[in-house]
Amino acid sequence: RGPDRGDERQSAFPAPREASALLAPAGIPARWRVAYAIALYTGLRQGELAVLRVADVALEGGYLNVHHARDRRAENA
């Protein structure tokens, strides 16, 4: 039997104020803020973000092409 998750399901996405709090601290380098924002607003996982390239972003169409992800298990084998 799995753990009790409570009566209400929690959202997988942060509320706007939670996202703002994550992106607001001045000590976070700009490149990490961008990575955090992309992760927050697209739902990409760490391995997908790690291999995302500029060519994967279609600004005109408003979409990302995610065709691959980094496999840490294969890197550490």
Side-chain angles (χ1 to χ4, degrees):
R1 179 177 167 187
D4 181 14
R5 295 178 188 227
D7 294 332
E8 296 181 30
R9 288 185 63 118
Q10 293 183 1
S11 172
F13 297 99
R17 81 168 183 279
E18 293 170 327
S20 294
L22 177 64
L23 299 173
I28 298 175
R31 66 187 179 120
W32 285 109
R33 281 181 205 240
V34 170
Y36 293 160
I38 292 170
L40 283 169
Y41 294 110
T42 64
L44 291 178
R45 296 179 178 108
Q46 182 181 2
E48 295 164 335
L49 283 169
V51 297
L52 187 67
R53 303 290 177 248
V54 173
D56 297 331
V57 180
L59 294 177
E60 297 81 25
Y63 64 89
L64 298 174
N65 288 313
V66 181
H67 298 288
H68 49 274
R70 184 172 69 188
D71 185 356
R72 288 187 171 196
R73 287 179 289 176
E75 291 175 3
N76 294 327

